[in-house]
Amino acid sequence: METDVLVVGAGPTGLMLANQLRRRGVRTMIIDRHAGPTLQTRAIGVQARTLEIYSHLGIADRALELGKRTTGANLWARGRHTARIPLGDIGRDLSPYPFVLILGQDDNERLLGEALRNQGMEVSWSTELVGLTQSPDQVTAKLQHADGTVRETTVAWVAGCDGARSSVRELSGIQFLGAPYEHVFFVADTRATGPMVPDEINVYLWADGFHLIFPMRGENHWRIVGIVPPALRGKSDLTFDEVVPSMRQEAGTALTFQECTWFSTYRIHHRRAERFRDRRCFVLGDAAHVHSPVGAQGMNTGLQDSYNLAWKLALVTSGRASEGLLDSYAEERIPVAQRLLSSTDRGFSVIVSNNGMAKVFRTQILAKIMARAMHFERIRKLAFRTVSQIGIKYRKSFLSENLPGLAEKAPRAGDRFPWLRLKLEPNGSIEDLFGKLDDTRFNLIVIGQPSRPHGALGLDDLLRAHVVPSDPHNDQELARARIPQPSFFLLRPDCYIGLAGTHFDADAAVRYVSGRLKLRPPKLGRSSPRIESETRLEPV
């Protein structure tokens, strides 16, 4: 075969998948039918879980430099400021990135593209997938180039990251269930001054919809997302100047625009692929699910689709795992997409409903309820876990197993392992545990007990182990995260807990590795160039 994985689509989802596969030593080709990267994009919210993944790629700091951290969201109705929701440290102690970062999709693509080039890989632009033929052990893909020539390539797997009009999904015969909303949206990149609270999100709720105004880097630079007024929805050549009166009607005449550098209209769909896999083809990101922009979840969800699938594909293509491991991709990600569609659809309905009571609720009651609720720490943390996507769980996955005796409130198999700041050496300094986890391997964390031999787990060069030594600071930090002592956690490469228990049980771990993970001993002569030798535990 010419390559192991063909990634179709070089948006954020495809670039993330290509990066993750490449750094795991998987032969990968990435193509896109467009001539180059997108210059104007709608997605702008980068969530904490995405930044955690970016940190492993080495691009989180650059993202923070380019973006703007949100310190608050301001709600407006009838031209009046009705509430402010603080966001600056809403996720304190839950993530190293306790905020939402405003960073355009184009900048995210640029960072991911640079990371890919740093690994010696380029996108094949102006290359379109026009045909697929699957057989039990390979896929023959027809690729059309800009000059019209068509060539065939043989690959082991195909990943459709090619958006809502996915060729991979259509050629695989996967239905895209759902429908479009009746509303027409617009997005504009502007220089503007007005009553908006500087450097914070401003949400204008009005009787017939909403306007979202996001601060971007640069002076008086705002990205605006809104609903086209009903009287203008059928206009094919709509301009930004024509929607300005509706914004001023809600925000006041003090809202003035110095320039608009980009304006576009679009319709939103709420759809989900009937299935996320057809034999050797997968769909991810917008090719698998599209929904309203409520909550800034779309791009981030696609990035997590890629992060979930990449390590599994890497193990299968290297011969370390059987193909059954790949069944967990759809099992884990379809429920996430379904919940996201349901929640964003409910939220969207609240802010666009034409029902009289809904209009009153939206303009007079909603802001007060939200502002009051966010005074409670428990609600703030729940909101952050939900929006930031660190609260996504795979507890029902066949890759998740809890051994008897684990406390009910302890982190469970299928959870993202909590963010901890620990002393990893006796009398050492406090360190970020996430910075120590290697996401190209499995990570074994042993707490409150002597270390046990783990060379027989069958993971060999794919395992890194960490012992948490006894220390007053560590005890306090573990208690905060409800992690009991003793306990152990075997983390998957995506830092989700696969196996959890109290005293380390090597026999149970071996059964988990061979049974649930379906891992095999390494094949002679074939191993990832990025894998190092096993780190052995030392007694506490």
Side-chain angles (χ1 to χ4, degrees):
M1 296 182 195
E2 295 184 34
T3 192
D4 290 320
V5 182
L6 171 64
V7 179
V8 183
T13 300
L15 289 169
M16 174 62 82
L17 182 60
N19 268 290
Q20 298 298 340
L21 292 172
R22 181 72 172 182
R23 62 199 290 260
R24 290 168 169 82
V26 179
R27 296 180 302 163
T28 306
M29 176 193 302
I30 179 170
I31 65 170
D32 196 288
R33 63 185 177 85
H34 297 98
T38 304
L39 300 178
Q40 294 91 16
T41 54
R42 295 189 288 270
I44 58 175
V46 179
Q47 303 294 351
R49 181 59 182 152
T50 295
L51 290 170
E52 291 174 4
I53 298 170
Y54 279 4
S55 68
H56 290 291
L57 278 175
I59 61 175
D61 289 343
R62 183 60 178 148
L64 295 177
E65 291 174 6
L66 293 175
K68 185 178 285 290
R69 306 183 194 196
T70 55
T71 57
N74 298 273
L75 277 66
W76 300 73
R78 298 180 175 180
R80 293 184 295 107
H81 185 271
T82 55
R84 179 183 183 273
I85 300 172
L87 299 175
D89 63 347
I90 188 174
R92 183 169 49 89
D93 295 331
L94 298 177
S95 171
Y97 308 100
F99 46 79
V100 177
L101 183 73
I102 303 300
L103 183 69
Q105 182 178 326
D106 50 346
D107 284 324
N108 283 276
E109 291 182 11
R110 187 177 303 113
L111 291 174
L112 289 165
E114 290 172 358
L116 194 60
R117 285 191 293 275
N118 289 339
Q119 298 190 75
M121 186 175 172
E122 295 282 350
V123 176
S124 295
W125 297 105
S126 302
T127 304
E128 184 175 3
L129 177 72
V130 294
L132 278 178
T133 303
Q134 295 200 53
S135 63
D137 58 353
Q138 65 185 32
V139 182
T140 301
K142 290 184 177 181
L143 308 181
Q144 181 172 298
H145 300 280
D147 61 2
T149 59
V150 176
R151 74 176 181 92
E152 290 188 350
T153 184
T154 303
V155 301
W157 305 93
V158 175
C161 308
D162 46 346
R165 299 178 180 177
S166 169
S167 297
V168 174
R169 189 188 64 242
E170 292 177 1
L171 290 169
S172 299
I174 300 174
Q175 294 186 48
F176 207 28
L177 307 174
Y181 290 108
E182 63 176 301
H183 306 81
V184 179
F185 287 79
F186 73 85
V187 58
D189 209 4
T190 69
R191 299 281 176 182
T193 56
M196 301 86 70
V197 177
D199 299 321
E200 296 191 346
I201 300 171
N202 289 264
V203 180
Y204 286 85
L205 300 169
W206 41 289
D208 294 319
F210 65 90
H211 291 117
L212 309 176
I213 305 181
F214 298 94
M216 308 294 285
R217 69 175 182 272
E219 187 176 359
N220 297 328
H221 184 189
W222 299 90
R223 179 74 57 85
I224 302 175
V225 177
I227 293 181
V228 174
L232 300 175
R233 286 177 190 168
K235 202 170 188 306
S236 59
D237 56 347
L238 187 67
T239 66
F240 177 68
D241 288 340
E242 291 176 289
V243 300
V244 168
S246 68
M247 285 188 283
R248 285 185 174 151
Q249 182 178 348
E250 301 301 325
T253 56
L255 177 62
T256 57
F257 295 95
Q258 287 74 55
E259 66 173 338
C260 175
T261 57
W262 173 56
F263 174 76
S264 179
T265 61
Y266 60 100
R267 284 189 178 273
I268 288 290
H269 291 239
H270 49 114
R271 297 183 184 273
R272 178 178 68 79
E274 178 186 19
R275 58 191 189 277
F276 282 16
R277 178 186 179 186
D278 176 52
R279 293 166 289 170
R280 289 185 165 268
C281 295
F282 300 87
V283 289
L284 304 83
D286 285 355
H289 43 76
V290 292
H291 45 81
S292 84
V294 171
Q297 300 291 292
M299 178 180 69
N300 296 273
T301 304
L303 293 172
Q304 288 208 57
D305 287 345
S306 294
Y307 201 51
N308 182 286
L309 180 61
W311 68 271
K312 301 169 184 178
L313 269 176
L315 289 173
V316 171
T317 58
S318 68
R320 295 296 301 269
S322 69
E323 293 179 12
L325 177 63
L326 298 175
D327 293 336
S328 65
Y329 166 66
E331 183 192 30
E332 292 177 348
R333 297 304 295 173
I334 284 179
V336 172
Q338 190 58 54
R339 286 194 299 269
L340 182 60
L341 281 164
S342 298
S343 60
T344 56
D345 194 48
R346 288 194 300 269
F348 184 71
S349 298
V350 168
I351 58 178
V352 299
S353 173
N354 291 321
N355 178 276
M357 288 298 297
K359 292 181 179 181
V360 172
F361 177 77
R362 184 165 60 242
T363 58
Q364 300 182 34
I365 302 173
L366 178 61
K368 296 177 181 178
I369 291 176
M370 292 180 66
R372 182 171 179 79
M374 295 299 283
H375 283 297
F376 299 95
E377 183 178 5
R378 184 176 179 180
I379 295 179
R380 287 199 305 271
K381 287 187 174 182
L382 175 61
F384 180 78
R385 286 191 179 97
T386 302
V387 175
S388 69
Q389 300 194 348
I390 68 169
I392 290 173
K393 302 178 188 298
Y394 304 135
R395 290 188 176 185
K396 295 183 179 180
S397 168
F398 69 78
L399 299 185
S400 301
E401 180 180 357
N402 297 296
L403 297 180
L406 189 67
E408 191 64 33
K409 292 186 178 181
R412 314 291 289 179
D415 296 356
R416 160 192 166 274
F417 192 75
W419 177 54
L420 302 172
R421 289 154 293 183
L422 300 169
K423 291 184 179 180
L424 300 176
E425 299 290 340
N427 302 318
S429 59
I430 297 173
E431 301 180 80
D432 182 344
L433 179 62
F434 277 16
K436 297 294 184 180
L437 299 179
D438 185 343
D439 71 338
T440 63
R441 298 179 177 83
F442 293 84
N443 289 268
L444 176 64
I445 300 176
V446 180
I447 300 166
Q449 58 191 295
S451 62
R452 304 295 179 94
H454 60 274
L457 295 190
L459 292 171
D460 301 312
D461 55 343
L462 287 173
L463 181 65
R464 173 167 288 181
H466 313 265
V467 175
V468 179
S470 179
D471 181 272
H473 169 81
N474 289 350
D475 293 344
Q476 182 178 3
E477 187 75 347
L478 293 168
R480 177 185 64 79
R482 296 181 173 179
I483 296 176
Q485 302 188 58
S487 59
F488 79 92
F489 301 88
L490 179 60
L491 309 189
R492 307 163 5 163
D494 57 5
C495 300
Y496 274 79
I497 302 168
L499 177 67
T502 53
H503 293 281
F504 180 72
D505 185 335
D507 291 337
V510 169
R511 288 193 297 271
Y512 173 81
V513 168
S514 60
R516 291 181 183 261
L517 289 176
K518 306 180 187 302
L519 293 191
R520 305 161 174 160
K523 290 184 177 180
L524 294 177
R526 183 165 191 184
S527 61
S528 169
R530 297 275 178 168
I531 297 300
E532 300 171 1
S533 61
E534 177 184 16
T535 303
R536 294 191 176 275
L537 293 173
E538 298 296 334
V540 178

